[in-house]
Amino acid sequence: MSNSSELHTELSDEALTHYASGQEQERLSRGTGLLELVRTQELLSRYLPCPPAVIFDVGGGAGVYSYWLAQQGYEVHLIDAVPLHIEQAQSFSQAQQDYPLASAGSWRCSSTQSRRPKR
């Protein structure tokens, strides 16, 4: 798992603070988030190959889309930079034994691997 200093090179302090609040897990279950959820599921259904297939949910957050994809028959690997999101995804995956995620973890990106443009 990436250490805190590596995460800070990938995400702004503002983003880390927002995601550390834990609100992202519930965002798609209310208000306009429901519209985003349904529309994204519609688009994924239209353009992804039919299961079984392997899906990498990069930046997958707490795993809302990953869980849904696993239920559709995909082998899903969730990757996220926020440790709380990984913990939430792993906990939910363990709770839904019939459709677990194949894996949930964080990425590592050293300063020599970073794709950020130099200023």
Side-chain angles (χ1 to χ4, degrees):
M1 190 173 282
S2 296
N3 67 35
S4 179
S5 64
E6 287 173 333
L7 289 176
H8 284 285
T9 65
E10 297 299 313
L11 295 175
S12 69
D13 289 339
E14 181 180 25
L16 285 171
T17 300
H18 169 75
Y19 290 129
S21 71
Q23 297 177 31
E24 191 66 14
Q25 186 175 23
E26 300 297 322
R27 184 178 64 80
L28 297 173
S29 65
R30 62 182 183 276
T32 57
L34 286 171
L35 176 61
E36 177 186 339
L37 174 69
V38 171
R39 179 63 175 150
T40 301
Q41 288 174 335
E42 177 187 329
L43 292 170
L44 291 171
S45 295
R46 186 182 306 167
Y47 294 108
L48 287 176
C50 293
V54 177
I55 303 292
F56 285 85
D57 188 357
V58 178
V64 173
Y65 294 112
S66 292
Y67 309 137
W68 176 76
L69 289 165
Q71 290 170 342
Q72 307 307 305
Y74 292 97
E75 176 184 321
V76 184
H77 300 268
L78 181 141
I79 303 167
D80 200 89
V82 179
L84 176 60
H85 290 167
I86 300 303
E87 291 171 20
Q88 291 170 330
Q90 290 170 336
S91 292
F92 193 83
S93 181
Q94 291 171 356
Q96 70 167 26
Q97 295 290 324
D98 293 338
Y99 305 101
L101 299 180
S103 67
S106 64
W107 67 74
R108 293 177 185 256
C109 184
S110 70
S111 59
T112 59
Q113 295 173 321
S114 179
R115 300 274 188 229
R116 286 187 163 186
K118 294 184 180 180
R119 294 183 187 183

